[in-house]
């Protein structure tokens, strides 16, 4: 007799199990992680042996047993840290992977320094100072090999992806993924909100439309999708939760795409509560302590930079004067923070009166919009071409930084005629010092 719950007869209750295809893909990823771990260990082992030999040659007090124990311990710590930071995930991006490898090196160095404080041995100190840079270089070379040359890695870094959403949202997401391949998703098809069960068709972006959104789980199973990405609104508020249940045992990831773009990750955080996930975006501020610290750094940097620039200026002034008649410095009105105008200072790189020739060169403009750029500008002098090539003409702008007109790091200072052609979003550039 089967147990009854709530008056209903429970015939069978089974925990969702991975399908054979999903198990095969998961085993492939496990083998990949194991292979990367093996080459990591080999790279660290080679670096460790080389450093141990160098330490033995440099330090008379070094003992082979102590060096071997220290090397083995550092290798274990390093390999465990690499695994904990998930640097061997098949779908990890290059930036996150290399950053994780560098972080593991920092953790290993910190633990090694702690060990050195407890057991102050000259040989261990030499091994630590030589071993961490050598190990990091060996690991980065190993990971570069996997990312650059290993065919298995290239296949695994492209998860088969099914997109779900309204037609406009899906088309926009497909174009974004096709335009920027850094995320590595391989889109195999889409299911659309409002679509009806029918023969597969091809959407405007060339990606097959495989059916309605209601059949997403079955479609994901049919096309062996690793990842399902949901974008845009759906008719059912419980759609995503129900889809996550239906995908159990079929796919490995459910991703919710949002149109929230161009927001720094440091300003975003996720808060969750029962039945709801909230993406919190901190609104940026343009005043306060961080901006005061940035201004202090600007003043210190500009002051330090202007000392050698002042020593170099007489030489550059003589060369500029000998090459063509005219002033040494070029001043031009630019628009800065809050729309305030200021005169930017550069070493002159064009012949005198070049600004009056601008209208005659407009037909040769190679830039778009309000920008003006000619690759072979006839107004540039011979010395000016050299100064521009190495950005030496920009050095006097440190005076603008010291005055507060500009910042060492910031957006490009626009010309007034460029600002007059700005639309509303671009005006935000004027919130910061250029």
């Amino acid at each position: 007799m089967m147990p009854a719950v709530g008056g209903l007869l429970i015939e069978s209750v089974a925990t969702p199990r991975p399908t054979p295809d999903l198990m095969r893909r998961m085993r492939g990823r496990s083998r990949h992680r194991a292979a990367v771990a093996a080459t990591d260990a080999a790279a660290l082992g080679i670096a460790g042996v080389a450093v141990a030999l160098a330490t033995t040659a440099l330090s008379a007090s070094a003992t082979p047993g102590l060096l071997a124990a220290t090397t083995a311990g550092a290798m274990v710590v390093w390999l465990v840290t690499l695994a904990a930071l998930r640097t061997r995930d098949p779908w990890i991006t290059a930036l996150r992977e290399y950053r994780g490898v560098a972080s593991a090196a920092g953790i290993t160095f910190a633990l090694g320094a702690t060990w050195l404080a407890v057991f102050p041995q000259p040989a261990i100190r030499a091994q630590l100072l030589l071993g961490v840079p050598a190990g990091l270089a060996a690991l980065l070379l190993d990971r570069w090999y996997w990312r650059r040359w290993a065919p298995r890695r290239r296949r695994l870094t492209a998860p088969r992806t099914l997109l779900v959403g309204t037609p406009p949202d899906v088309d926009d997401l497909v174009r974004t993924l096709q335009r920027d391949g850094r995320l590595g998703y391989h889109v195999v098809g889409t299911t659309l909100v409002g679509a009806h069960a029918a023969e597969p068709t091809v959407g405007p972006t060339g990606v097959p439309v495989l059916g309605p959104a209601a059949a997403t789980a079955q479609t994901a199973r049919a096309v062996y999708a690793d990842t399902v990405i949901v974008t845009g609104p759906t008719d059912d508020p419980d759609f995503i939760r129900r889809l996550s249940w239906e995908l159990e045992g079929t796919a490995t990831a459910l991703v919710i795409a949002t149109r929230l773009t161009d927001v720094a990750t440091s300003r975003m955080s996720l808060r969750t509560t029962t039945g709801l996930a909230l993406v919190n975006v901190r609104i940026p501020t343009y005043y306060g302590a961080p901006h005061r610290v940035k201004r202090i750094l600007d003043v210190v940097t500009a002051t330090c930079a202007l000392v050698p620039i002042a020593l170099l200026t007489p030489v550059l002034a003589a060369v500029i004067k000998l090459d063509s008649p005219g002033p040494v410095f070029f001043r031009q009105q630019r628009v800065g923070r809050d729309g305030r105008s200021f005169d930017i200072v550069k070493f002159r790189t064009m012949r005198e009166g070049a600004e009056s020739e601008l209208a005659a060169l407009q037909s040769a403009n190679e830039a778009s919009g309000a920008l003006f750029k000619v690759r072979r500008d006839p107004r540039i002098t011979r010395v000016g071409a050299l100064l521009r090539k190495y950005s030496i003409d920009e050095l006097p702008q440190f005076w603008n930084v010291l005055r507060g007109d500009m910042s060492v790091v910031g957006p490009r200072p626009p010309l007034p005629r460029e600002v007059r052609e700005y639309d509303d979003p671009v005006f935000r550039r004027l919130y910061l010092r250029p």
Side-chain angles (χ1 to χ4, degrees), residues 302-317 329 347 395-396 398-399:
T303 303
C304 295
L306 285 172
V307 174
I309 292 172
L311 299 175
L312 185 64
T313 295
V315 178
L316 293 175
F329 295 104
F347 287 119
L395 293 180
F398 279 106
W399 173 249

Side-chain angles (χ1 to χ4, degrees), residues 88-155:
R88 302 186 185 111
D89 285 358
W91 301 341
I92 191 172
T93 61
L95 179 61
R96 288 187 58 193
E97 180 177 8
Y98 296 145
R99 186 183 296 168
V101 170
S103 298
I107 293 172
T108 304
F109 184 85
L111 293 176
T114 304
W115 177 262
L116 181 62
V118 178
F119 301 99
Q121 296 287 336
I124 296 179
R125 182 183 299 107
Q127 193 176 22
L128 179 65
L129 295 177
L130 293 175
V132 172
L136 178 59
L139 280 175
L140 290 176
L141 183 62
D142 169 52
R143 297 306 184 90
W144 176 83
Y145 161 77
W146 278 104
R147 185 166 289 278
R148 177 72 175 169
W149 296 109
R152 180 64 175 165
R153 177 61 183 261
R154 287 200 297 269
R155 289 197 297 269

Side-chain angles (χ1 to χ4, degrees), residues 316-331 346-354 381:
L316 293 175
V319 173
I320 292 170
K321 280 284 190 180
L322 291 173
D323 182 54
S324 64
V328 173
F329 295 104
F330 170 72
R331 297 177 181 273
K346 298 183 180 183
F347 287 119
R348 181 172 59 85
T349 59
M350 293 185 177
R351 57 176 176 251
E352 192 173 11
T381 63

Side-chain angles (χ1 to χ4, degrees), residues 62-413:
T63 59
L66 177 63
L67 294 179
T70 304
T71 300
M75 281 185 59
V76 171
V77 170
W78 212 327
L79 292 173
V80 170
T81 306
L82 288 170
L85 295 177
R86 304 178 66 89
T87 64
R88 302 186 185 111
D89 285 358
W91 301 341
I92 191 172
T93 61
L95 179 61
R96 288 187 58 193
E97 180 177 8
Y98 296 145
R99 186 183 296 168
V101 170
S103 298
I107 293 172
T108 304
F109 184 85
L111 293 176
T114 304
W115 177 262
L116 181 62
V118 178
F119 301 99
Q121 296 287 336
I124 296 179
R125 182 183 299 107
Q127 193 176 22
L128 179 65
L129 295 177
L130 293 175
V132 172
L136 178 59
L139 280 175
L140 290 176
L141 183 62
D142 169 52
R143 297 306 184 90
W144 176 83
Y145 161 77
W146 278 104
R147 185 166 289 278
R148 177 72 175 169
W149 296 109
R152 180 64 175 165
R153 177 61 183 261
R154 287 200 297 269
R155 289 197 297 269
L156 285 172
T157 52
R160 295 176 61 83
T161 303
L162 180 68
L163 306 183
V164 187
T166 61
D169 290 322
V170 167
D171 292 343
D172 183 62
L173 180 58
V174 169
R175 292 189 182 93
T176 301
L177 295 177
Q178 291 174 342
R179 184 171 59 250
D180 186 357
R182 289 177 297 177
L183 294 176
Y185 291 113
H186 171 48
V187 180
V188 296
T190 67
T191 57
L192 302 180
V193 174
H196 301 286
E199 292 295 325
T201 59
V202 177
T205 56
V207 176
V209 178
L210 303 179
T216 297
Q218 296 89 331
T219 306
R221 185 178 293 105
V223 298
Y224 308 114
D226 294 290
T227 301
V228 176
I229 301 181
V230 180
T231 178
T234 60
D235 300 332
D236 184 358
D238 292 328
F239 173 79
I240 293 176
R241 179 171 55 180
R242 190 171 60 252
L243 177 60
S244 68
W245 293 342
E246 294 173 350
L247 290 174
E248 291 172 351
T250 300
T252 57
L254 175 62
V255 179
I256 313 301
T258 173
R259 288 181 176 270
L260 190 62
T261 59
D262 298 328
V263 177
T265 55
S266 60
R267 289 173 47 205
M268 298 180 64
S269 61
L270 182 66
R271 299 175 61 189
T272 60
T273 184
T274 304
L276 186 64
L278 302 175
V279 178
N280 183 59
V281 180
R282 182 170 53 85
I283 303 301
T285 57
Y286 304 95
Y287 298 91
H291 295 272
R292 288 193 291 270
V293 171
K294 187 172 187 289
R295 179 59 189 151
I296 293 172
L297 291 175
D298 283 342
V299 172
V300 172
T301 303
T303 303
C304 295
L306 285 172
V307 174
I309 292 172
L311 299 175
L312 185 64
T313 295
V315 178
L316 293 175
V319 173
I320 292 170
K321 280 284 190 180
L322 291 173
D323 182 54
S324 64
V328 173
F329 295 104
F330 170 72
R331 297 177 181 273
Q332 188 180 48
Q333 190 179 66
R334 297 294 180 100
V335 180
R337 185 177 184 181
D338 298 328
R340 291 192 295 266
S341 298
F342 68 96
D343 287 336
I344 197 173
V345 184
K346 298 183 180 183
F347 287 119
R348 181 172 59 85
T349 59
M350 293 185 177
R351 57 176 176 251
E352 192 173 11
E355 288 288 289
S356 62
E357 304 175 34
L358 181 62
L361 292 172
Q362 284 293 342
S363 59
N365 187 14
E366 300 172 5
S368 59
L371 294 178
F372 177 83
K373 188 175 183 63
V374 177
R375 186 177 295 110
R376 298 184 180 276
D377 196 323
R379 302 172 297 168
I380 299 176
T381 63
R382 289 173 299 176
V383 171
L386 187 64
L387 296 180
R388 286 190 171 207
K389 181 178 180 180
Y390 297 103
S391 299
I392 299 174
D393 63 315
E394 311 281 353
L395 293 180
Q397 292 178 33
F398 279 106
W399 173 249
N400 290 114
V401 174
L402 189 62
R403 284 169 46 91
D405 299 326
M406 300 177 66
S407 176
V408 175
V409 178
R412 171 185 170 274

